[in-house]
Amino acid sequence: MSAPASTAHVVEVTDLHKSFGDNHVLRGLNATISQGEVVCVIGPSGSGKSTFLRCINLLEQPSSGSIKVGGDEVTDPDCDIDGIRRNMGMVFQQFNLFPHLSALDNCTIAQTTVLKRSKDEARATARENLEKVGLSEKADAFPAQLSGGQQQRVAIARALSMDPKLMLFDEPTSALDPELVGDVLSVMRRLATEGMTMFVVTHEMAFARDVADRVIFMDGGYIVEEGSPDQVIGDPKEERTKTFLQRVLDPTHVDPGAEDAAYSKRHIAEATARSATPPLDPTAFPER
Ligand SMILES: Nc1ncnc2c1ncn2[C@@H]1O[C@H](COP(=O)(O)OP(=O)(O)O)[C@@H](O)[C@H]1O
Ligand SMILES: [Mg+2]
């Protein structure tokens, strides 16, 4: 008997390394994504999240390690990378729609050119997916006539129109005005409920907490911590995860001790520059 679909690995990453010149960006990542699973990747800017995601569909060439997608080794030079990529939808922070094509045409063009579907079939699929993202009535609108949130939903409909087995999202809501974020997240939430396998780099902690089956926290090119959202976001084990979460969950948080120390240091430095004798008590300096 074959393994149940829920345990099949759609993606299997083993000891993935990536360097740009001497910048060693990914330092030995191991991860799996199972059929129907939603995996959210969180972590500070520059930690390698986008590079990780881009290696999965070979937008970046890994330096070493192995990546299997649906059992096919994408790092094998003989693999059918176009065939493998066809099964992956990718949604970026910038929506990357064709500006000269309507929402409908944005959703049909790859279906006819890549999948060789007839125009009618492609249009029908596109309309279905525009409806799914709540934009049936915008089929004829051009990207410039749509809000950022609407453009991103067209980008999602476009990806879905290729019938992907896996959807990769790279911070799909970070370029949006705050009031437009919710619509995009609800579309993603619905996809997750329908059983789409999703790999999502996001800063939306509430979304990750609610929707993810698993959360991966990355820092400095490593997977520092991984587990259920309740564990990683609710009760992180690692100090680096705690510091990151404190910063993103409460950006107004300041450490008063650290502020005072920085203030004193600044004043002592200024005083030292002005006089040969540094003051012992920085508060002795008058306010300016
Ligand atoms: N195409 C590239 N060429 C050179 N360096 C890159 C490239 N893409 C990413 N990097 C570097 O890799 C590191 C990780 O970047 P990235 O994966 O974008 O991080 P994140 O998505 O977590 O913010 C950064 O130091 C970045 O400058
Ligand atoms: Mg990024």
Side-chain angles (χ1 to χ4, degrees):
M1 216 175 84
S2 62
S6 60
T7 59
H9 287 158
V10 176
V11 180
E12 207 172 332
V13 175
T14 312
D15 199 26
L16 172 65
H17 287 260
K18 173 67 183 175
S19 298
F20 294 104
D22 53 14
N23 187 5
H24 193 173
V25 172
L26 302 180
R27 298 168 174 255
L29 305 185
N30 294 288
T32 57
I33 309 171
S34 299
Q35 179 78 46
E37 207 182 14
V38 178
V39 177
C40 284
V41 182
I42 61 172
S45 179
S47 56
K49 305 178 300 295
S50 295
T51 305
F52 181 20
L53 191 108
R54 292 164 64 83
C55 280
I56 293 178
N57 66 358
L58 239 56
L59 283 173
E60 295 294 352
Q61 186 68 43
S63 303
S64 68
S66 127
I67 300 173
K68 283 186 183 162
V69 177
D72 293 316
E73 177 79 58
V74 302
T75 31
D76 176 351
D78 294 332
C79 79
D80 169 21
I81 187 61
D82 292 336
I84 297 168
R85 275 203 193 119
R86 235 168 271 155
N87 289 322
M88 290 188 252
M90 175 119 189
V91 176
F92 302 90
Q93 183 176 334
Q94 298 302 336
F95 331 116
N96 301 333
L97 296 176
F98 295 112
H100 61 292
L101 296 181
S102 68
L104 188 74
D105 289 344
N106 263 286
C107 296
T108 56
I109 185 156
Q111 294 189 66
T112 52
T113 55
V114 179
L115 301 182
K116 311 290 179 207
R117 287 183 181 155
S118 72
K119 253 197 154 129
D120 284 350
E121 189 191 356
R123 287 214 172 115
T125 308
R127 284 192 194 281
E128 248 168 60
N129 286 305
L130 284 172
E131 187 181 347
K132 185 177 257 187
V133 302
L135 290 174
S136 302
E137 79 287 5
K138 298 288 184 190
D140 297 325
F142 287 87
Q145 299 168 314
L146 299 171
S147 73
Q150 290 170 333
Q151 289 184 57
Q152 191 60 300
R153 286 186 283 148
V154 173
I156 294 173
R158 176 177 62 176
L160 291 175
S161 295
M162 302 296 281
D163 294 332
K165 296 200 169 61
L166 165 70
M167 287 283 285
L168 306 171
F169 293 88
D170 191 358
E171 298 197 25
T173 58
S174 10
L176 300 178
D177 290 332
E179 72 272 22
L180 303 176
V181 168
D183 290 344
V184 172
L185 291 180
S186 3
V187 166
M188 292 171 65
R189 194 182 289 265
R190 178 159 163 214
L191 276 184
T193 322
E194 289 175 353
M196 177 59 78
T197 309
M198 293 164 63
F199 191 64
V200 187
V201 175
T202 186
H203 284 138
E204 299 292 336
M205 292 303 141
F207 175 84
R209 185 125 198 206
D210 273 12
V211 180
D213 296 302
R214 202 142 46 82
V215 173
I216 290 176
F217 170 68
M218 278 183 72
D219 193 15
Y222 294 97
I223 291 177
V224 174
E225 188 161 356
E226 171 179 0
S228 71
D230 282 345
Q231 190 255 300
V232 177
I233 300 175
D235 184 22
K237 284 199 285 282
E238 302 293 332
E239 212 47 52
R240 282 198 277 178
T241 320
K242 289 180 193 168
T243 310
F244 169 76
L245 287 169
Q246 192 169 54
R247 221 169 44 228
V248 295
L249 294 174
D250 180 10
T252 59
H253 174 85
V254 287
D255 178 349
E259 282 285 293
D260 288 351
Y263 182 84
S264 307
K265 203 170 150 195
R266 252 186 342 259
H267 278 250
I268 291 171
E270 283 166 15
T272 313
R274 278 199 301 267
S275 107
T277 0
L280 294 173
D281 177 11
T283 57
F285 274 77
E287 293 286 327
R288 276 178 297 169

